[in-house]
Amino acid sequence: MPTEAPPHVNRTRAGEAATFLEAISEALWEEMERDERVFLMGEDIGAYGGAFKVTRGFLDRFGPSRVIDTPISEGGFTGAAAGAAHMGLRPVVEMQFMDFVSPAYDVLTNYIATSLYRGAGPIPLVVRGPVGGGNRGGPFHSQNVEMAFFHTPGLKIVYPSNPRDAKGLLKSSIRDDDPVIFEEHKGLYRAPHCREVLPPDDYVIPLGRARTALEGEHLTIVTYGLMVHRSLDAAAELARDGIRVEIIDLRTLLPLDEEAVAVSLRKTGKLLIVHEDTRTGGIAGEIAIRMNERAFEWLDGPILRVTAIDSPVPFSGELEDYFLPSVQDVVTAARYLVEY
């Protein structure tokens, strides 16, 4: 069993509902207790405890050799983590905001993702950090970066929507021998509606498997992250008119659980894809073509998508609200499909 943490770290008591942020913190703590090869790297994660306090108290427990404050050099410390992984360690790299992963794009795509294919061995490495808008952070602190890496064979991409999945998926990611991009929507970190009592045992959730967040029969919504909650709110509104929506939470984007989507689509005949990422080049296009290829005969209407618009994330609050997909956007698209 993991060592009992002091009260100033992000650990919940048995039976207490955990926030999304606490679930992430618990996963990191427990994996560091379980496996001495696991260590953390990132900007201000040690004495300061991280920009969002995910690693608060970790330095006191695990020391500076396993909780490493880095310079502001994302490409440099991600490359250093890759070297450590080659030597048998299991680094977890925090991007203070995932927008800043771009300097590490070269080492992630050209080196880390191809390592196993070049005979250099696996690189068990996790790059994790906050993503997403709605917090008035502007274009440098609000992006969703999944599609920048979706095209890269050799990487895995995880994007959970709730505390239980966040903890179980992060633990699986740390134990996985492939490099993982792990996205955490900052709008869920401390959201009152996003709290759960976590299982007391050492549980993991396998990568690459979606979950059915809501059972329905008239329409399938495929989504992930914060948009799962927006879709659930939309489904509640639609239910008042007798429209029963099925919601598939992808959880892992790469590999993509297209079988779960196809099974739901065969039941409902209608498919709506919702994501916060921008429209052009978003994952909705990939899901749509895959369902067109394998489930076309089950479609009773066009495949539609609700996404952010093709723009950098605005600074203005009013413009950001317009930019992001809303519950009403989902409701409107769903009604159109159901009536098609």
Side-chain angles (χ1 to χ4, degrees):
M1 293 293 293
T3 302
E4 184 69 21
H8 63 280
V9 303
N10 301 310
R11 304 298 302 280
T12 53
R13 297 180 178 87
E16 181 183 359
T19 65
F20 192 101
L21 184 145
E22 288 167 339
I24 294 292
S25 186
E26 286 192 17
L28 293 171
W29 184 283
E30 291 177 14
E31 288 305 296
M32 292 182 75
E33 289 277 12
R34 190 188 69 88
D35 187 344
E36 64 181 10
R37 297 173 299 170
V38 178
F39 74 99
L40 312 182
M41 301 177 69
E43 298 159 6
D44 299 322
I45 66 169
Y48 189 66
F52 293 89
K53 304 304 181 186
V54 171
T55 53
R56 181 175 56 185
F58 278 58
L59 182 62
D60 293 340
R61 171 65 183 89
F62 299 104
S65 65
R66 296 185 67 194
V67 184
I68 302 173
D69 279 320
T70 66
I72 302 175
S73 177
E74 288 80 6
F77 62 73
T78 303
H86 275 310
M87 299 304 294
L89 301 178
R90 306 188 81 86
V92 181
V93 174
E94 177 182 298
M95 296 289 160
Q96 196 167 92
F97 291 85
M98 284 293 276
D99 311 59
F100 305 142
V101 76
S102 53
Y105 183 81
D106 179 23
V107 70
L108 279 165
T109 58
N110 283 327
Y111 184 78
I112 291 172
T114 64
S115 175
L116 186 62
Y117 298 81
R118 290 181 285 101
I123 298 186
L125 177 151
V126 176
V127 176
R128 54 156 294 271
V131 296
N135 295 287
R136 312 318 189 209
F140 299 132
H141 298 82
S142 308
Q143 296 177 61
N144 291 277
V145 303
E146 57 267 24
M147 296 311 290
F149 298 100
F150 187 80
H151 185 62
T152 304
L155 297 178
K156 294 178 179 178
I157 303 172
V158 180
Y159 198 146
S161 69
N162 59 78
R164 183 183 183 279
D165 285 354
K167 183 176 180 179
L169 289 167
L170 183 53
K171 290 167 78 74
S172 289
S173 299
I174 294 170
R175 299 180 193 186
D176 200 285
D177 285 334
D178 292 320
V180 178
I181 308 293
F182 196 95
E183 300 191 44
E184 306 157 12
H185 200 293
K186 67 180 76 69
L188 297 176
Y189 270 164
R190 297 181 176 89
H193 69 276
C194 191
R195 292 173 178 262
E196 291 181 302
V197 176
L198 303 177
D201 56 322
D202 179 26
Y203 74 97
V204 296
I205 294 175
L207 304 185
R209 296 184 188 174
R211 73 178 180 102
T212 302
L214 183 67
E215 296 274 359
E217 60 181 334
H218 297 124
L219 169 75
T220 296
I221 294 179
V222 174
T223 186
Y224 56 94
L226 179 67
M227 291 298 116
V228 172
H229 300 269
R230 296 269 171 93
S231 298
L232 287 167
D233 289 343
E237 182 173 334
L238 293 163
R240 291 195 284 269
D241 294 328
I243 299 172
R244 296 184 59 217
V245 173
E246 181 147 298
I247 298 177
I248 303 299
D249 178 1
L250 290 174
R251 303 198 290 193
T252 301
L253 308 185
L254 193 66
L256 183 66
D257 189 358
E258 60 182 87
E259 179 62 25
V261 180
V263 167
S264 180
L265 180 55
R266 291 188 189 109
K267 179 168 64 170
T268 68
K270 306 284 180 65
L271 178 58
L272 175 63
I273 306 159
V274 181
H275 60 68
E276 184 178 319
D277 195 14
T278 48
R279 189 174 185 86
T280 299
I283 199 172
E286 181 65 26
I287 296 170
I289 194 60
R290 292 194 191 192
M291 292 305 101
N292 187 67
E293 291 170 343
R294 67 178 294 170
F296 180 79
E297 64 272 23
W298 300 100
L299 285 169
D300 292 328
I303 299 175
L304 297 185
R305 55 188 169 170
V306 172
T307 72
I309 63 176
D310 289 334
S311 164
V313 184
F315 272 114
S316 160
E318 186 175 349
L319 290 178
E320 187 179 28
D321 290 341
Y322 177 77
F323 164 85
L324 293 170
S326 68
V327 172
Q328 195 54 50
D329 292 335
V330 178
V331 169
T332 299
R335 289 190 191 280
Y336 174 83
L337 263 184
V338 169
E339 295 168 3
Y340 187 86

